[in-house]
Amino acid sequence: MISRQLLLTYLYLLVYICLSSGVILYNKWVLSPKYFKFPFPITLTMIHMGFSGAVAFCLVRVFKVVAPVKMTFQIYATCVIPISAFFASSLWFGNTAYLHISVAFIQMLKALMPVATFFVAVICDTDKLRWDVFSNMLLVSVGVVISSYGEIHFNVIGTVYQVTGIFAEALRLVLTQVLLQKKGLTLNPVTSLYYIAPCSFLFLFVPWYVLEKPGMEISQIQFNFWIFFSNALCALALNFSIFLVIGRTGAVTIRVAGVLKDWILIALSTIIFPESTITGLNIIGYGIALCGVVMYNYLKIKDVRASNQLPMESIPDRGTKDKLDKKSSDIMYKDGNIVGNNFGGNSAPDSILVDEEAPLLPSSRLSYIGRSQISSHSSR
C-alpha cells in the first residue's frame, strides 16, 4: 500500500512536470513566427481564459460539481477585479516575451520571481525586510544579470516584457493575500477560474482591440481549431495537476520538482528550438541565481517548520481535527491563492510556489502548515 501511494505521488509529479513544460513549449511553438506563425499573444491568452471560464461555469452552474462561494458585489469589485487585472497582465506580458526571446532565457529570467514577490510584499507591508532573505535576493539578481549578459540573442523588448510580467504576477500574489485572505474568502481551483477567468478575459479585450485586432486580417490568420483547443486544454489540465500535486506532497518536494522542471525545460528548449542557444555564461549565471533561490526556499521552509511547532495545549481534539482536515483540502486557490486559513497567520506570499503558466493554483506556506499540523497531531 505504501509503495502504491508513493508511486501515485511520483506519477502526479511527473504529470505536473510534463504538463508545465509542455504548455510553455506549446505556447512558444504557437506564437513563434518561425513555426505555427500566430504572433498574437493576447489572443492566445484570451482563448485560454475563455475556455477555462466556460469549463468552470459548466462545472459550477450546469453540472453543479462544485458549489459557488458566497460572493458579494463589494468583494468582487474590490478584490476579484484588481486581482484579475494583474493576472491578465502577467499572462499577457509573459506570452508576449515568447515573440522576442528564447524559452531557455525566459526560464532563467523567471528566477527573479521570488525577488519581485519579496520586494512587493515588503513595500505593501505584508512581509518584513530580513537581511538574510535580502542577501539571497541579491545573489539571485546578480546571477540573472550574468546570465543575461551571456545571452547570445539578447533582446531588450522581450526581456522588459518578461520582467514586467513577473512583477505583475508578484503584485497579484500580494493582492490575493491582502484582499482575499483578509476577507476570509476561500476558493478552490474551479471557483477561482469561475470568478477570475471571465474578468481577466474582459481586461484583455481592451488591449486586444487596440493592439492586435487591426493586424488580424483573415488572410494572415492560420487558425486551426484542434491546435488552439488542445493548447487551452493543456493549460487547464496544468492547473488541476498542480492542485493534485499540492494535495499529495510537501513544500520541499514541490520546490525540488519546480527546479527539476526548469532544468528539463531549458534542455528540451535547446533541442526543440535550435535558436535557443545556451552559452557557458548563461549556465554560470543561472547556477548562481539557482543557488540564491535554493537558499531562499530553505529559509522559507525553515520558517514554516518553526511556526509549525504548536504548544501541547493547542492540540485539537478529534472532532476539530476532522474539521481541519476538511478545511485544509478546501482552501486551495490558484494560479488564485490559498486563503481563509488561520494556520499561517500573516504569511508572506513570497513563500508561494508559482507556475506562471498556470497562475491559478500555487502551493502556499499556509497549506503546508495546515497539512503538517494535522499529520503531526493525528494517530497515524
Side-chain angles (χ1 to χ4, degrees):
M1 179 63 68
I2 294 177
S3 61
R4 182 180 300 177
Q5 294 299 321
L6 188 62
L7 182 63
L8 192 58
T9 299
Y10 282 125
L11 178 62
Y12 285 165
L13 286 170
L14 179 62
V15 170
Y16 158 69
I17 291 174
C18 291
L19 282 174
S20 182
S21 303
V23 168
I24 293 173
L25 295 172
Y26 204 168
N27 286 349
K28 173 67 175 179
W29 181 79
V30 170
L31 294 170
S32 176
K34 293 184 178 181
Y35 300 98
F36 188 69
K37 301 177 182 179
F38 188 81
F40 302 107
I42 303 177
T43 305
L44 184 65
T45 308
M46 290 178 68
I47 292 174
H48 289 178
M49 291 297 95
F51 180 77
S52 299
V55 171
F57 178 85
C58 291
L59 292 176
V60 173
R61 294 297 182 184
V62 179
F63 299 107
K64 300 186 184 301
V65 175
V66 179
V69 301
K70 200 171 184 179
M71 179 71 67
T72 64
F73 176 79
Q74 181 184 7
I75 294 178
Y76 193 87
T78 59
C79 299
V80 175
I81 290 179
I83 289 172
S84 300
F86 284 109
F87 176 40
S89 300
S90 67
L91 294 180
W92 166 20
F93 293 127
N95 283 336
T96 304
Y98 289 121
L99 298 176
H100 306 281
I101 55 180
S102 67
V103 172
F105 186 48
I106 286 176
Q107 292 306 118
M108 295 176 187
L109 289 175
K110 284 180 180 180
L112 287 172
M113 188 66 214
V115 179
T117 312
F118 173 71
F119 283 111
V120 170
V122 171
I123 293 172
C124 295
D125 198 29
T126 61
D127 198 8
K128 295 180 180 179
L129 181 61
R130 294 170 45 187
W131 293 110
D132 54 348
V133 176
F134 179 80
S135 61
N136 287 327
M137 299 299 96
L138 189 61
L139 184 63
V140 172
S141 302
V142 170
V144 171
V145 170
I146 294 175
S147 180
S148 301
Y149 184 77
E151 175 66 16
I152 294 179
H153 305 292
F154 181 81
N155 183 284
V156 175
I157 296 176
T159 303
V160 170
Y161 269 119
Q162 181 60 41
V163 173
T164 304
I166 288 172
F167 274 91
E169 177 66 11
L171 283 167
R172 184 195 66 77
L173 290 174
V174 174
L175 277 179
T176 298
Q177 183 203 20
V178 172
L179 299 178
L180 286 183
Q181 185 171 337
K182 289 186 177 180
K183 298 287 186 180
L185 186 64
T186 60
L187 298 176
N188 58 43
V190 176
T191 53
S192 64
L193 288 173
Y194 175 75
Y195 291 108
I196 291 177
C199 190
S200 297
F201 181 91
L202 294 177
F203 271 108
L204 290 167
F205 181 82
V206 176
W208 172 82
Y209 188 84
V210 175
L211 299 176
E212 292 190 358
K213 183 178 179 296
M216 293 181 68
E217 285 84 10
I218 300 299
S219 59
Q220 296 180 352
I221 296 178
Q222 183 179 350
F223 187 85
N224 185 308
F225 171 80
W226 294 109
I227 292 293
F228 291 106
F229 174 76
S230 59
N231 182 262
L233 188 63
C234 287
L236 181 66
L238 175 58
N239 277 282
F240 291 107
S241 73
I242 300 173
F243 182 71
L244 291 175
V245 169
I246 289 172
R248 298 193 65 89
T249 64
V252 178
T253 305
I254 295 174
R255 292 177 185 276
V256 170
V259 172
L260 178 62
K261 180 210 72 174
D262 290 340
W263 281 109
I264 292 175
L265 189 54
I266 290 173
L268 283 176
S269 66
T270 60
I271 298 174
I272 298 175
F273 306 110
E275 67 275 12
S276 300
T277 307
I278 298 179
T279 65
L281 206 54
N282 278 144
I283 298 175
I284 293 173
Y286 186 60
I288 294 173
L290 193 61
C291 289
V293 172
V294 169
M295 288 302 298
Y296 168 78
N297 287 340
Y298 170 76
L299 289 175
K300 300 310 294 184
I301 293 172
K302 187 178 178 181
D303 291 343
V304 169
R305 288 176 175 172
S307 61
N308 189 35
Q309 302 300 320
L310 292 180
M312 292 299 295
E313 58 271 18
S314 66
I315 297 178
D317 58 23
R318 186 66 188 175
T320 306
K321 282 189 289 185
D322 292 340
K323 293 179 181 179
L324 293 179
D325 214 0
K326 181 178 184 299
K327 185 68 173 178
S328 66
S329 64
D330 291 340
I331 60 176
M332 296 298 178
Y333 158 73
K334 168 82 174 160
D335 253 31
N337 237 335
I338 299 180
V339 293
N341 190 349
N342 294 325
F343 285 135
N346 189 25
S347 68
D350 59 350
S351 63
I352 298 170
L353 170 74
V354 177
D355 193 313
E356 292 82 356
E357 304 307 314
L360 283 177
L361 274 175
S363 158
S364 160
R365 173 175 182 266
L366 296 181
S367 64
Y368 180 72
I369 294 174
R371 288 196 307 273
S372 299
Q373 286 176 333
I374 294 168
S375 62
S376 64
H377 299 312
S378 64
S379 58
R380 286 179 291 174

